[in-house]
Amino acid sequence: MEILANSKKRGDLEIVLLYDKKLPKNLTKAEKEALEIRNYKGEGSCFVESSRKFFVGVESHNYPFPNALRDALASAVGVIGKLKVKSASLQVKTKQEAREVCEGIMLGAYCFDTFKTKKNENNLKEVYLHTTQFAQTDLESIIKDSKILSESVNAIRELINTPPMIATPKYVADFAQRIAKDSGLECKVYDEKFLKSEKMGAFLAVAKASANKPYLVHLSYKPKGAKGKKLPKVVLVGKGLTYDSGGLSLKPGEFMTTMKSDKSGACAVLGILESVAKLGLKAEVHGILGLAENMIGGDAYKPDDILIARNQKSIEVRNTDAEGRLVLADCLSFASDLNPDVLIDLATLTGACVVALGDYSTGIMGYNQKLKEDFAKAAFEAGELSGILPFNPYLRKLFNSEVADLCNIPSSRYGSAISAGMFLGEFVKESLVQKWLHLDIAGPAYVEKAWGVNPFGASGAGIRAVVQFITNLAK
Ligand code: BES
Ligand code: ZN
Ligand code: ZN
């Protein structure tokens, strides 16, 4: 699907946006009749063949919600794509509107049909945007930037959707190298030997029983021609469990399906670096991907094991399904050594976060209130939903162990999205805790019932929010 700034072409049909269920005043008699006979009141979409206008209702809400326009366009494109039309046009009034329209169209058009013999055809190939309210060059650059971002999101959705028999840690590491080459990123791939030399005892334990060996990927981006300038340094860490069977604390069948998506955090980090590089943002950005598979076998790590993490803290294992925090523990310690100005981890960490916030929102955690609020604002701007979950010292105590420094599961299941976040905090270098954010994307990362701009499958959660956060930081 191509979006073009072209004020001359009307295309096969014209999309007309309707806000607040208000029909436009300049309707012809025929249009009025057509809308009336279809009983159209400005909700959903309605096509008037005679004048080739496709009316799209934009829902209104009496609370802050960032996605009314994006969602409307995403569903409209689905409907139009089934008609026999190749092109459409649309008037936009503001720059924000232009951006939301682009994202709605491009994100809504993705479909994971790689393994289907019958592909999900969408006939709509070109959308022309017009504006009379701001400069054509601005419109062109909004389209260009939205395209970069949406293409990263869609490529990462495809990677996450790729079945675990194909998308092993090695596959994701190779994928990262390919993206790095294409977008001018530096990329180092470290194997198990390196993890051993770094004494990453927690990460290694999780990966032990799998035939597919673990990898740690370090991507980095520095804008060209920024010599001598002090740039903000952002380090991102992603949980990359290419499969989470639960390990010996095996997941029951119905909870194991979808666990190919347990690599969503690491994959999002990859997508963020690709976008940041292609957008040429003025920040130094690093991405650390912790890639492993949590499996069972004769040499699996066990409940009762005591692991020594990279930062020398000992961890009593009581449940091998709480593996993400073990991989992240060592990755956060590694990332701390890069001395970032902001350190952010992204992870499908807990089912409890989904219980707390629902399927649609990312849980934001950390020790710095302003940082959390700035991030929530950026996420909203980018069209991602989030909620701040507050730390407290009582929940931290639930990780105390009789036999080690920490236990990998809390002693109460209540509040366990937060306690898991506090567990991670123990592996961030002391001097950096005020610069650290934890994002639990377990809810929005994988979609089993399409919503908004997200079709069935991986959503690419976190990419747009973090790119926006870095954009704001780099201003
Ligand atoms: N990958 C899961 C978390 C998850 C659950 C992600 C549902 C997406 C959807 C994680 O590794 C896990 O299994 N967490 C356990 C922790 C528990 C054993 C303390 C959980 O949330 O139940
Ligand atoms: Zn798990
Ligand atoms: Zn997991």
Side-chain angles (χ1 to χ4, degrees), residues 239 244 251 259 262 319 321 323 348-351 409 442:
K239 170 177 173 182
D244 180 11
K251 285 184 187 292
M259 279 303 135
D262 214 20
N319 189 318
D321 197 12
E323 84 300 335
T348 47
L349 201 65
T350 65
I409 55 166

Side-chain angles (χ1 to χ4, degrees), residues 358-375:
D359 276 324
Y360 314 101
S361 304
T362 293
I364 303 177
M365 286 159 260
Y367 288 98
N368 183 327
Q369 191 60 24
K370 167 135 190 341
L371 195 57
K372 289 187 283 185
E373 284 167 10
D374 285 350
F375 189 87

Side-chain angles (χ1 to χ4, degrees), residues 230-246:
K230 169 80 182 108
L231 296 171
K233 187 187 208 178
V234 181
V235 176
L236 308 170
V237 175
K239 170 177 173 182
L241 266 291
T242 59
Y243 205 69
D244 180 11
S245 71

Side-chain angles (χ1 to χ4, degrees), residues 224-286:
K224 290 191 191 82
K227 269 185 213 123
K229 272 182 229 146
K230 169 80 182 108
L231 296 171
K233 187 187 208 178
V234 181
V235 176
L236 308 170
V237 175
K239 170 177 173 182
L241 266 291
T242 59
Y243 205 69
D244 180 11
S245 71
L248 289 178
S249 314
L250 199 63
K251 285 184 187 292
E254 71 267 35
F255 290 106
M256 205 186 292
T257 44
T258 76
M259 279 303 135
K260 66 172 181 182
S261 68
D262 214 20
K263 58 184 179 297
S264 295
C267 296
V269 168
L270 179 55
I272 294 160
L273 267 117
E274 178 183 46
S275 268
V276 163
K278 290 189 170 166
L279 293 167
L281 299 186
K282 300 269 174 289
E284 178 179 336
V285 185
H286 295 258

